[in-house]
Amino acid sequence: MGDDGRRYGGRVAHPTRPPWARTFAEAVWFPAALFLGFLFCFAPALHSPQPHHAHVVVAGRAAARDVDAVLKRTQPGGFDVTAVAHASDARRAVRDRTAVGGFTTGETGGRGARPVLFVAKANGAALEQALTTTFTQLVAADGSAAHLTVRDVAPTVREDRMGTTLVYFGIAWSVPGYILATTLLRATAFDRRRKLLAVLGAAALFGVVGFAVGAGLGYLPHDPAALLVAFLLTTAVATFASGLAPFTRRFFPAVGMTLFIVLSIPTSGGAAPAAMLPTFFQYVHAVIPLGNAVEALRSALYFGGAGMLRPVLVLCAWIAAGIALLGLDARRHRRAALTDGEREIQDLPTDDPSLETPTRTGGRCRARW
């Protein structure tokens, strides 16, 4: 018979349907989670970029005290000031990435010396402009006729006028790493070892192609150190996402997109350099893979490797955490197999629920997890 239900005495019993509220909740929770994530991450982080505890150094203790007093009054919480001995030390601090700006009043530079501000456009043009504006106003308020001289100690390539191009390449190496992890979840012919090899191969390929395009178009300096950072970034995201999936299951898409898109992109240092993010988002920037990869790229390509070690170690830590999660999942399956009395343990694939096609069962549509 062609009835959807069973016929009892001329009456049709329709198949039971889940409550509408449950169906609605199952359909909406994931977009709602992303909506809230975008709402409370992008706007709060980027709505009004301004320095937050940006570290600057000033040549001379007396000058540092004066500058610190003025900045605390005019921009409370905006800058942390440290004194250094000479103007050369101020410049070196910016080049070594221990400070975002260096300032000297010129008092020790001889007769007619002008105040000088050392900046680095490689840290982002927005930060450079904020420092220039702040110290121009500071010098003007001093009442002297001297004009501020701004010296860029780490200029970017000509095609990267805003100092933000590295972020776009970082996104290109990061987000596909997460997508790679989701597609490998459905690779039933691959065990964990083959999946890791696939991740390493894809990470190397993405790194080489991305660097070739960036350097060829003049968006990146011709420094092969970028290849290492690109490889580590893609590997970190893909490996950690692969290890996370078996433990988060149906919530994996929400957790993965929150980590590698919602939290990563606004804190990457692109639209606003890290020193111009609110304090909470600066902490996120310090631990998230994308933000650390951007800092490693800046260090490698524009600062001669200064400050590169820490972000590289953070990326390696994400890779190690992903491998540890994969090992923990393998151990969990091994114990389950021993409990069931199985001799041979196989690596069971985990499906990505965001890619599952709903199947009709008993007259109603139900997603397979």
Side-chain angles (χ1 to χ4, degrees):
M1 300 177 64
D3 295 334
D4 291 333
R6 298 178 182 177
R7 186 177 298 277
Y8 296 97
R11 300 172 61 187
V12 176
H14 294 284
T16 59
R17 298 181 182 274
W20 71 268
R22 175 183 170 186
T23 302
F24 179 78
E26 290 178 346
V28 169
W29 78 266
F30 183 32
L34 285 181
F35 166 73
L36 293 175
F38 283 118
L39 191 65
F40 289 105
C41 288
F42 277 73
L46 304 175
H47 76 286
S48 180
Q50 56 185 316
H52 288 85
H53 297 285
H55 185 211
V56 297
V57 295
V58 178
R61 292 187 178 276
R65 285 195 298 268
D66 294 340
V67 170
D68 189 36
V70 172
L71 293 180
K72 283 182 177 178
R73 184 175 66 253
T74 58
Q75 298 191 45
F79 296 92
D80 295 334
V81 179
T82 302
V84 293
H86 306 288
S88 59
D89 298 323
R91 182 185 186 281
R92 188 180 303 112
V94 179
R95 281 292 305 168
D96 291 344
R97 305 206 74 191
T98 57
V100 297
F103 179 70
T104 174
T105 59
E107 293 175 349
T108 60
R111 193 172 179 180
R114 292 183 176 182
V116 177
L117 175 67
F118 299 103
V119 296
K121 181 178 271 190
N123 285 326
L127 181 57
E128 177 197 23
Q129 292 168 4
L131 288 166
T132 301
T133 300
T134 296
F135 281 86
T136 298
Q137 294 172 349
L138 186 147
V139 170
D142 189 43
S144 66
H147 296 283
L148 179 68
T149 299
V150 179
R151 295 179 182 170
D152 187 356
V153 302
T156 57
V157 293
R158 186 176 60 180
E159 298 297 332
D160 185 14
R161 297 182 183 277
M162 299 301 295
T164 57
T165 302
L166 295 181
V167 176
Y168 306 133
F169 280 87
I171 294 173
W173 286 318
S174 175
V175 175
Y178 164 67
I179 302 299
L180 174 64
T182 65
T183 55
L184 283 175
L185 294 176
R186 302 175 66 86
T188 58
F190 280 14
D191 57 13
R192 290 182 182 85
R193 183 177 62 84
R194 290 182 177 177
K195 288 180 180 180
L196 282 175
L197 290 175
V199 166
L200 296 177
L205 177 63
F206 293 169
V208 170
V209 173
F211 176 71
V213 171
L217 295 177
Y219 299 150
L220 302 176
H222 291 71
D223 191 330
L227 292 170
L228 171 63
V229 180
F231 174 79
L232 290 176
L233 175 57
T234 304
T235 303
V237 172
T239 304
F240 188 83
S242 297
L244 191 66
F247 297 94
T248 53
R249 293 189 176 274
R250 72 177 63 190
F251 301 107
F252 170 63
V255 175
M257 294 190 72
T258 298
L259 279 176
F260 303 122
I261 296 178
V262 174
L263 283 175
S264 290
I265 293 178
T267 62
S268 63
M276 300 184 71
L277 293 171
T279 304
F280 168 75
F281 295 102
Q282 289 185 8
Y283 290 138
V284 175
H285 173 86
V287 298
I288 214 73
L290 178 58
N292 279 276
V294 170
E295 296 304 329
L297 286 170
R298 283 173 171 158
S299 294
L301 300 180
Y302 292 117
F303 294 91
M308 184 178 176
L309 179 59
R310 183 195 174 279
V312 166
L313 290 178
V314 172
L315 292 175
C316 291
W318 279 86
I319 296 173
I323 294 175
L325 287 174
L326 289 171
L328 186 61
D329 182 54
R331 183 180 180 185
R332 185 178 62 172
H333 281 298
R334 190 176 298 112
R335 285 185 174 181
L338 292 175
T339 301
D340 295 340
E342 298 179 9
R343 286 186 176 181
E344 188 174 346
I345 305 165
Q346 296 182 351
D347 182 20
L348 299 177
T350 302
D351 289 331
D352 174 15
S354 67
L355 302 177
E356 279 293 311
T357 303
T359 56
R360 184 172 288 276
T361 304
R364 63 180 180 181
C365 207
R366 185 176 63 189
R368 294 184 290 114
W369 302 110

